[in-house]
Amino acid sequence: MAVLLLAEVNNGELALDATAKAVTAARAMGDVTVLAAGASAAAAGEAAAKIDGVAKVLVAEDASLGHRMAEPTAALIVSLAGDYSHIVAPATTDAKNVMPRVAALLDVMVISDASGVVDADTFERPIYAGNAVQTVKSLDTTKVITFRTSTFDAAGEGGSAAVETVSAAADPGLSSWVEDKVAASDRPELTSAGVVVSGGRGVGSEEDFALIEKLADKLGAAVGASRAAVDSGYAPNDWQVGQTGKVVAPELYVAVGISGAIQHLAGMKDSKIIVAINKDEEAPIFQVADFGLVADLFEAVPALTDAL
Amino acid sequence: MKVLVPVKRVIDYNVKVRVKADGSGVDLANVKMSVNPFDEIAVEEAIRLKEAGKADEIVVVSIGVKQAQETLRTALAMGADRAILVNAADDVHTDIEPLAVAKILAKVIEEEDPGLVLAGKQAIDNDMNATGQMLSALLGWSQGTFASELDIDGDKAVVTREVDGGLQTIKVNLPAVVTVDLRLNEPRYASLPNIMKAKKKPLDEKTAADYGVDTSPRLEVVKTTEPATRAAGIIVGSVDELVSKLKEAGAV
């Protein structure tokens, strides 16, 4: 069986972590061919060729593929689909935009956010915001799947796959890119960071989120937030960790002033070590924490920042 | 312009989900059901477009069990003009897959000819995040997913999308399918007079067979289980103890 894996390519650059995690999931099902698509994608293709377990890399470069627009990207994948039993991608917002479109064009179902591979036809995926796990067996000839990256380890480097170029499909010309507003930050990217420090409603204000950011910077961590903190305007939306935000699984996750709503837990409970700091000892976050500290965050967080 | 909004009947956002002990699924009998929250945002956005003079009619469509009538009535009470219920299942535990839903919606759209479809980005039960994209593909339309801002500009829609790392703004040709994210708007509550009025608004009933769509699943559900639980940790007494525990664990 052969797997086509859509690499995560942003502005010509490979998102190595997300792509390498999807490679780990995909290897279980057959030979992995990575597709790097973009206005410029050659460098991303070269980087993908070095991922251990990649058998071949296809590079598709065309202006229409430049901003991860769904319609031309889906058309490209569909034009290549005949050679593959599985078409997969890391479950990023880009892939979630494109892959269901691919599936419908192939008249198959999509399996979104798969968190486990049972066999080549059977996959586990969280449903109800992570409150249940469903095992589904695909009856379709082609399986289209996005993989939740937080549950797979990244494949290592050391591969030397052959790189070929392929042509883009005709651009359906249905949409055009206007602009990207990417939050500029020196901190690591949230979904691939080794350490994440998140603040919740307990932080109380946008100004006081500086406490969270200081601790994060001391730990070299990414900053996250609960949905409650985002909805209260304390933190921008792209910091949101949870079922409706980003799903993370760092080595260390520090939850500050977060009560631990189910939808937040769904986004971080696969973290290796979880620390919770909350003044409410009844907060559900303590049920998933390895180390809990019942304390006023305004005293504990500066003290922790100093002590590290 | 006519706006079509698909709405799904799902377990209420505040209800604690219980997985059945035999692994056959989630218990939905005698559980409070509501409009999928993302779909409510889509209905609200359609109403705002109408209030702004950019839409003239809002048609809401639900595909599933007959009880989805209530879901449609809620959308009508918010301000939708008429509703179509497509009966596609008898058992409340049957979840019609996004591909089948998209195929039925495509047929409804052939008849209704809307200029815009506004859909929730995902349903909070199966979390599939697929119906809008699939519908757009089947229709050969453009798509704008995960919208946090929407503006209609002549024969195009300008959609600001919530993506990893920030926001992306795109322009899509109409007709289009736009799927909505949480921050697009805050849905209104239906007033009592509007709830009464909604009872008199038209609600057509159809079946999946009327549209010639086969709804048999492509994904066989093998089992449904509780998620793995984490082993209980410890409560530390002080910041210093926390730091030493983290050092012992090799975390810092």
Side-chain angles (χ1 to χ4, degrees):
Chain A
M1 281 188 277
V3 184
L4 181 67
L5 189 157
L6 176 66
E8 179 77 0
V9 179
N10 295 317
N11 297 322
E13 211 176 293
L14 181 73
L16 179 63
D17 186 72
T19 306
K21 284 173 171 169
V23 168
T24 298
R27 282 173 78 173
M29 294 160 327
D31 284 343
V32 178
T33 298
V34 171
L35 170 64
S40 85
E46 291 296 335
K50 296 194 181 81
I51 299 173
D52 190 27
V54 174
K56 193 159 88 171
V57 173
L58 303 178
V59 172
E61 291 190 326
D62 191 80
S64 67
L65 301 168
H67 298 284
R68 302 107 64 205
M69 304 297 282
E71 302 91 348
T73 309
L76 166 68
I77 296 170
V78 169
S79 75
L80 301 168
D83 297 336
Y84 303 95
S85 58
H86 295 72
I87 301 173
V88 307
T92 58
T93 47
D94 285 347
K96 287 178 172 181
N97 187 30
V98 170
M99 298 297 267
R101 191 173 182 97
V102 170
L105 292 171
L106 297 173
D107 192 24
V108 302
M109 255 302 284
V110 66
I111 299 171
S112 305
D113 252 335
S115 54
V117 180
V118 178
D119 60 38
D121 303 324
T122 314
F123 305 91
E124 293 171 343
R125 55 182 304 272
I127 56 172
Y128 290 93
N131 283 297
V133 179
Q134 198 174 55
T135 304
V136 292
K137 182 176 178 176
S138 170
L139 308 174
D140 285 316
T141 45
T142 306
K143 281 80 170 136
V144 177
I145 310 158
T146 59
F147 285 109
R148 176 169 284 205
T149 50
S150 65
T151 54
F152 298 94
D153 294 329
E157 303 238 353
S160 55
V163 180
E164 290 175 17
T165 56
V166 290
S167 318
D171 179 6
L174 293 166
S175 56
S176 57
W177 173 82
V178 178
E179 65 170 342
D180 284 335
K181 274 190 199 149
V182 178
S185 169
D186 295 333
R187 299 193 183 102
E189 202 268 318
L190 189 54
T191 49
S192 58
V195 183
V196 174
V197 181
S198 288
R201 203 195 321 252
V203 178
S205 70
E206 192 179 353
E207 294 70 42
D208 284 329
F209 236 80
L211 287 175
I212 305 295
E213 294 178 53
K214 267 186 205 153
L215 176 57
D217 290 341
K218 190 73 178 271
L219 288 164
V223 180
S226 69
R227 183 173 155 194
V230 172
D231 284 352
S232 305
Y234 305 165
N237 181 47
D238 51 300
W239 288 7
Q240 191 191 145
V241 172
Q243 181 72 10
T244 52
K246 295 201 171 78
V247 178
V248 302
E251 294 293 310
L252 175 62
Y253 187 89
V254 184
V256 181
I258 291 177
S259 64
I262 285 160
Q263 90 93 22
H264 183 77
L265 301 183
M268 46 64 84
K269 66 183 167 49
D270 292 325
S271 305
K272 200 158 181 198
I273 294 176
I274 296 173
V275 172
I277 301 172
N278 201 304
K279 67 180 175 191
D280 175 11
E281 60 184 301
E282 301 291 323
I285 190 77
F286 288 122
Q287 290 164 19
V288 301
D290 298 283
F291 304 116
L293 177 62
V294 181
D296 181 349
L297 71 93
F298 295 101
E299 287 165 18
V301 173
L304 180 59
T305 308
D306 288 343
L308 286 166
Chain B
M1 180 175 72
K2 188 192 281 185
V3 180
L4 188 135
V5 185
V7 293
K8 187 175 185 183
R9 177 180 186 266
V10 298
I11 195 165
D12 188 84
Y13 189 63
N14 294 309
V15 172
K16 171 100 178 83
V17 169
R18 286 219 324 273
V19 177
K20 290 196 269 188
D22 64 359
S24 66
V26 164
D27 194 1
L28 296 178
N30 306 312
V31 169
K32 187 184 179 204
M33 304 293 280
S34 297
V35 184
N36 177 42
F38 290 104
D39 301 350
E40 222 169 4
I41 294 169
V43 173
E44 174 65 34
E45 195 65 15
I47 296 167
R48 289 186 190 189
L49 285 176
K50 193 176 167 188
E51 287 168 348
K54 291 180 175 174
D56 43 39
E57 191 187 20
I58 302 163
V59 181
V60 286
V61 183
S62 196
I63 294 157
V65 291
K66 63 176 189 312
Q67 290 88 334
Q69 273 207 21
E70 298 157 23
T71 315
L72 290 167
R73 292 285 174 206
T74 305
L76 292 171
M78 284 175 71
D81 296 298
R82 65 193 170 81
I84 301 169
L85 170 65
V86 182
N87 286 298
D90 296 323
D91 181 352
V92 293
H93 292 91
T94 306
D95 189 35
I96 310 293
E97 286 175 353
L99 181 62
V101 169
K103 285 181 177 180
I104 293 171
L105 287 172
K107 296 281 185 184
V108 173
I109 284 160
E110 250 175 50
E111 289 174 5
E112 292 287 339
D113 193 29
L116 175 68
V117 174
L118 275 172
K121 76 162 179 176
Q122 72 191 67
I124 62 164
D125 50 6
N126 65 31
D127 284 331
M128 204 57 102
N129 190 336
T131 303
Q133 297 90 316
M134 290 187 137
L135 176 62
S136 170
L138 296 177
L139 295 166
W141 289 7
S142 57
Q143 70 182 50
T145 52
F146 325 144
S148 62
E149 272 179 67
L150 172 66
D151 192 23
I152 305 297
D153 182 10
D155 60 354
K156 293 194 178 354
V158 181
V159 182
T160 298
R161 309 177 50 235
E162 301 211 350
V163 295
D164 293 339
L167 298 170
Q168 181 189 51
T169 303
I170 61 170
K171 202 175 256 199
V172 299
N173 294 356
L174 292 174
V177 177
V178 172
T179 77
V180 308
D181 216 321
L182 283 175
R183 260 148 294 275
L184 183 62
N185 61 49
E186 242 178 80
R188 69 194 64 193
Y189 289 101
S191 66
L192 190 59
N194 284 343
I195 292 170
M196 300 311 287
K197 263 191 251 169
K199 290 183 178 164
K200 297 203 177 92
K201 288 184 179 174
L203 190 156
D204 278 350
E205 286 204 52
K206 303 270 193 179
T207 66
D210 290 342
Y211 297 103
V213 173
D214 177 7
T215 59
S216 41
R218 305 294 188 83
L219 304 178
E220 179 195 320
V221 178
V222 179
K223 62 177 176 183
T224 305
T225 53
E226 296 263 6
T229 49
R230 288 178 74 95
I234 57 163
I235 295 289
V236 295
S238 66
V239 167
D240 290 339
E241 192 187 343
L242 176 61
V243 172
S244 67
K245 289 286 181 195
L246 286 174
K247 283 184 177 155
E248 267 172 47
V252 292

